[in-house]
Amino acid sequence: MQNMAHHLAQTLKSLRQDRQWSLSQAAEFTGVSKAMLGQIERGESSPTVATLWKIATGFNVPFSTFLEAEQSRQPLLLHRQGALPVYDQANADMRVTPLFPFDPQLGFDIFRIELAAGAYSESSAHEAGVVEHVIVLEGELELYAEGVWHSLKTGEAVRFQADQPHSYRNSSRSAVVLHDLIHYPLRQPAC
Ligand code: MN
């Protein structure tokens, strides 16, 4: 967790330098306060999942950018149980585990998300063209997407446009576990 906070701080700092944004500009683009961004950069605060999504969206980068160090390309990536970094802030009712980090060649990342009983998570719109694929592994999920609430049972799945606000809710008394594959539109190389 300490490493993760460090990685998060470094990533945010270097992204902001690349963009040549001041803290105020970064606050404006992400909707996260200047004070909070400063705390994260100094490693003094570990943001909630919702805050991290806002930052990723504002910087137009995949969520997993903040969670994992860059991996060298390898033909096969195998994850054993318990060997994955988990992102869960204190008292979190949402745990996010990146299963496969973002790879620019492939254009997607995959997360395992656990929502505790009663959990409610709102996600702001991702960049234009982002599509999410949600597959429910355990429990019953309520998902708000494209303007409608959907109820999804174990084994059911939905694909939706994620460039508009969407929400995940667990109204049941037991945990909900899902896989979320987030596909990002291919970027044109800068000329
Ligand atoms: Mn989302």
Side-chain angles (χ1 to χ4, degrees):
M1 209 55 202
Q2 202 50 48
N3 279 344
M4 203 171 275
H6 180 72
H7 176 67
L8 183 52
Q10 293 302 318
T11 306
L12 183 55
K13 258 187 272 185
S14 65
L15 276 173
R16 202 162 62 72
Q17 278 163 9
D18 287 350
R19 305 281 201 284
Q20 299 185 310
W21 290 354
S22 65
L23 270 179
S24 305
Q25 285 170 310
E28 199 179 308
F29 291 127
T30 59
V32 174
S33 76
K34 207 172 130 177
M36 170 61 82
L37 290 172
Q39 282 171 17
I40 296 168
E41 286 195 6
R42 292 190 300 274
E44 294 168 4
S45 174
S46 76
T48 62
V49 169
T51 301
L52 209 48
W53 278 117
K54 280 191 193 174
I55 296 173
T57 303
F59 277 91
N60 212 3
V61 295
F63 183 77
S64 51
T65 306
F66 294 105
L67 304 188
E68 291 222 328
E70 246 175 71
Q71 304 198 352
S72 53
R73 284 179 65 77
Q74 43 187 309
L76 188 148
L77 191 52
L78 176 66
H79 293 311
R80 293 297 187 192
Q81 213 168 0
L84 293 165
V86 177
Y87 193 80
D88 58 345
Q89 78 265 23
N91 308 317
D93 50 11
M94 182 181 190
R95 287 158 56 93
V96 178
T97 310
L99 288 178
F100 296 102
F102 181 74
D103 178 324
Q105 304 257 342
L106 301 174
F108 68 83
D109 43 22
I110 303 182
F111 300 93
R112 174 190 166 91
I113 298 176
E114 295 172 56
L115 295 167
Y120 176 59
S121 169
E122 278 182 0
S123 175
S124 47
H126 301 290
E127 69 174 282
V130 172
V131 174
E132 286 192 34
H133 308 66
V134 166
I135 303 124
V136 180
L137 304 177
E138 261 179 64
E140 188 165 344
L141 171 72
E142 290 172 345
L143 176 91
Y144 180 82
E146 298 186 20
V148 181
W149 277 103
H150 304 270
S151 181
L152 292 161
K153 293 184 170 58
T154 305
E156 296 181 334
V158 64
R159 179 176 69 194
F160 60 94
Q161 304 298 324
D163 52 7
Q164 45 188 292
H166 48 284
S167 304
Y168 313 85
R169 188 169 67 194
N170 177 5
S171 300
S172 76
R173 292 195 190 177
S174 47
V176 167
V177 181
L178 57 104
H179 278 168
D180 191 357
L181 184 157
I182 306 184
H183 186 268
Y184 300 80
L186 294 175
R187 294 199 182 84
Q188 300 301 319
C191 346

